């Protein structure tokens, strides 16, 4: 086995909000093809970390490197065009559009780039993109909802659709922010199955999650964040047995 | 054919074409079948169709589109004065110059969205209006308005023909554009404008504009640079406004700065919302309704009202004349305001939503679950 290929490297990142040290000295390496979970109690800085990676927040110091390219200072659309897609905690979807169009838009972004003035072509002529989108919706089990208005979907279906919107871009890195938050046990299990299916395709994933059942079903590696610092890093078994993690989770107040 | 245009789109275009070309016939019973008003119907429909590309599709509410309308008018008159009385170069100049103007104002205004964008466009339009009145008098002829004179050079015309006596009037390839000839010229342009809007709306580009209106955050995280998309939409709608302005200069070549005033910008917003923002036909219907009210309701006077109420006993009929006279003539704004308020409260999607609701009554099988290809009923500016 060759040296593991590091796809994402969060290098010495600090983030301050006024007096609050939200992220301190974060160093994180994500290997290609793995599912890397970031866990931690509320307010540990998980979402801040994700926002720094995706370009929504600029780190106070340090940088994020993706496959040799420095992400820090780039705009979210540029970061996406490099091959990073994100599923949000509250689904960010096109509520006014049909499910099919929701999935076709990211496919067009992948094919046409950040801007293209193709206003004389008809959308109906985009049969390849359309078939691709239909196929993707079938993959996530949403074939029956193709023509529905996205805002009328159930919460679980919105998440599945958002996942399809990310997957159709075949991203090299998929960021998932609590993909099962607020879901029923049944929907959670469906989502886990879906994510396991993606895993077999070798896509790299960074996942933020509260639900330990989800984390231990999916993660190859876990980083534990508490009060803006990584307190443990390793395989699921390592992390499960780590006393510092136990303390952080069982209410140790430092 | 199916990849060029869907069957529904084609039927809509054919229906629209027939409706526009037969306007003199079906509007005659309503007292609106005369060319001067019909021209305005076509011109303001184009203005509203273009405005809808920015507001209805992209979700950016501009309060300054009359500036482009005015620029189009001035450009067309200057073409008449300097080059030729032919309509084609005049419209070409109107569209090109308003596009450049829209590029500049759009570039600056689109740095903000939501209410700040609206205020910026309003500010730029009012600036243009005031400049046209004061500093730019050499170009706009200020308060008097820009008009044709006998001393205009008209380089092309004078090179080609012997100048006739009196003020010339606009032509199209030598054919005078007056009366119904002018109307059919405007109607042809309206049909082309509608067709192009339909193409834009149904294209991948149009889909991106709808995506921006629906969720700009997701557009960013999906890999789109939304700024050039919104700028393109802004410039396209500015070009439509310039075309409409140029056409108004053809049928009425005395151009004053009031064409750029904020009331004119507000009027196109009213037209679009009244008819149904985000729909193809809505802005056209809105424009026709408002121009109809403006021209027909404002012309009703007490004599006409007295005749209308004459079937009632004397005292009652006088009272009715008194009451209703407040809503017509100069009071037509009151009627328009009431209609607008009622529509926005009961039909937030405009007249088109009413049409859709009536159509749904006749299709009970499709009533459950709104099909996704319909626009959201609440027009909403981008966040």
């Amino acid at each position: 086995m060759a040296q593991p290929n590091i796809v994402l490297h969060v290098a010495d990142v600090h983030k301050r909000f006024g007096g609050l040290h939200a992220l301190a000295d974060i160093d994180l390496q994500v290997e290609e093809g793995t599912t890397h979970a970031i866990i931690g109690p509320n307010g540990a800085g998980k979402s801040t970390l994700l926002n720094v990676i995706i370009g929504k927040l600029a780190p106070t110091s340090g940088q994020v490197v993706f496959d040799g390219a420095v992400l820090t200072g780039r705009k979210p659309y540029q970061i996406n065009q490099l091959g990073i897609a994100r599923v949000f905690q509250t689904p960010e979807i096109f509520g006014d559009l049909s499910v099919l169009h929701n999935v076709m838009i990211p496919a067009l972004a992948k094919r046409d780039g950040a801007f293209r003035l193709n206003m004389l072509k008809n959308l109906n002529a985009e049969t390849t993109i359309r078939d691709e989108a239909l196929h993707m919706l079938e993959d996530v089990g949403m074939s029956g909802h193709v023509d529905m208005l996205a805002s009328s979907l159930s919460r679980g279906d919105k998440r599945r659709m958002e996942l399809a919107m990310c997957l159709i871009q075949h991203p090299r890195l998929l960021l998932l922010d609590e993909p099962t938050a607020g879901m029923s046990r049944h929907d959670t299990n469906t989502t886990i199955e879906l994510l396991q299916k993606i895993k077999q395709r070798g896509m790299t994933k960074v996942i933020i999650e509260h639900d330990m059942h989800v984390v231990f079903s999916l993660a190859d590696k876990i980083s534990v964040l508490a009060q803006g610092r990584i307190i443990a890093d390793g395989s699921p078994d390592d992390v499960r047995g780590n006393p510092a993690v136990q303390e952080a989770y069982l209410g140790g107040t430092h | 054919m199916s990849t060029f245009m869907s069957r529904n789109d084609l039927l809509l275009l054919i229906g629209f074409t027939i409706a526009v070309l037969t306007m003199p016939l079906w509007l005659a019973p309503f007292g609106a079948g005369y060319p001067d008003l019909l021209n305005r119907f076509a011109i303001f429909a184009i203005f509203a169709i273009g405005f809808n590309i920015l507001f209805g599709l992209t979700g950016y509410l501009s309060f300054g589109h009359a500036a482009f309308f005015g620029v189009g008018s001035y450009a067309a008159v200057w073409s008449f004065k300097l080059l030729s009385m032919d309509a084609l170069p005049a419209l070409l100049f109107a569209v090109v110059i308003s596009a450049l103007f829209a590029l500049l104002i759009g570039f600056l205004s689109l740095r903000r969205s939501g209410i700040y964008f609206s205020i910026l466009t309003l500010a730029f339009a009012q600036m243009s209006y005031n400049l046209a009145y004061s500093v730019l008098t050499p170009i706009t002829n200020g308060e008097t308005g820009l008009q044709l004179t006998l001393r205009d050079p008209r380089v092309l015309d004078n090179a080609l023909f012997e100048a006739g006596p009196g003020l010339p009037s606009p032509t199209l390839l030598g054919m005078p554009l007056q009366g119904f000839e002018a109307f059919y010229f405007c109607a042809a342009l309206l049909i082309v404008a509608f067709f192009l809007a339909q193409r834009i709306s149904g294209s991948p580009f149009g889909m991106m504009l709808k995506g921006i209106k629906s969720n700009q955050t997701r557009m960013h995280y999906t890999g789109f640079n939304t700024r050039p998309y919104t700028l393109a939409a802004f410039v396209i709608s500015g070009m439509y406004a310039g075309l409409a302005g140029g056409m108004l200069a053809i049928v009425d070549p005395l151009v004053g700065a009031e064409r750029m005033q904020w009331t004119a910008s507000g009027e196109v917003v009213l037209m679009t919302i009244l008819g149904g923002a985000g729909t193809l036909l809505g802005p056209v219907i809105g424009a026709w309704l408002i121009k109809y009210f403006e021209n027909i309701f404002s012309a009703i006077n007490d004599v006409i009202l007295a005749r209308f109420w004459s079937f009632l006993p004397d005292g009652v009929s006088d009272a009715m004349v008194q009451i209703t006279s407040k809503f017509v003539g100069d009071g037509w704004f009151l009627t328009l305001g009431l209609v607008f308020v009622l529509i926005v409260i009961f039909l937030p999607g405009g007249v088109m939503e009413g049409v859709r609701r009536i159509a749904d009554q006749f299709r009970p099988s499709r009533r459950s679950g709104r099909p996704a290809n319909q626009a959201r009923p609440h027009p909403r500016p981008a966040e």
Side-chain angles (χ1 to χ4, degrees), chain B residues 301-362:
Chain B
N301 54 31
D302 285 3
V303 179
I304 298 173
L305 283 177
R307 206 181 306 142
F308 181 79
W309 295 113
S310 59
F311 64 93
L312 292 169
D314 271 358
V316 185
S317 115
D318 285 349
M320 288 311 288
V321 169
Q322 277 299 310
I323 294 168
T324 48
S325 67
K326 302 286 176 265
F327 292 87
V328 296
D330 286 340
W332 75 274
F333 272 116
L334 186 57
T335 314
L336 178 65
L338 283 174
V339 169
F340 186 74
V341 167
L342 288 176
I343 291 217
V344 169
I345 291 175
F346 295 106
L347 293 171
V351 175
M352 285 309 284
E353 190 182 336
V355 171
R356 194 180 304 137
R357 283 191 194 169
I358 292 167
D360 283 351
Q361 293 293 318
F362 293 99

Side-chain angles (χ1 to χ4, degrees), chain B residues 215-244:
Chain B
N215 188 342
Q216 186 147 199
T217 308
R218 182 33 101 187
M219 286 301 276
H220 290 144
Y221 289 102
T222 297
F224 285 109
N225 186 4
T226 54
R227 186 72 63 75
Y229 280 101
T230 50
L231 186 58
F234 193 94
V235 172
I236 291 168
S237 71
M239 288 162 79
Y240 268 83
L243 174 68

Side-chain angles (χ1 to χ4, degrees), chain A residues 211-229:
Chain A
D211 187 332
M212 288 304 124
H213 168 62
V214 177
V215 171
F216 287 107
S217 316
L218 291 169
D220 301 306
K221 216 176 160 195
I222 299 178
S223 296
V224 186
L225 213 58
Q227 302 198 322
R229 288 174 185 280

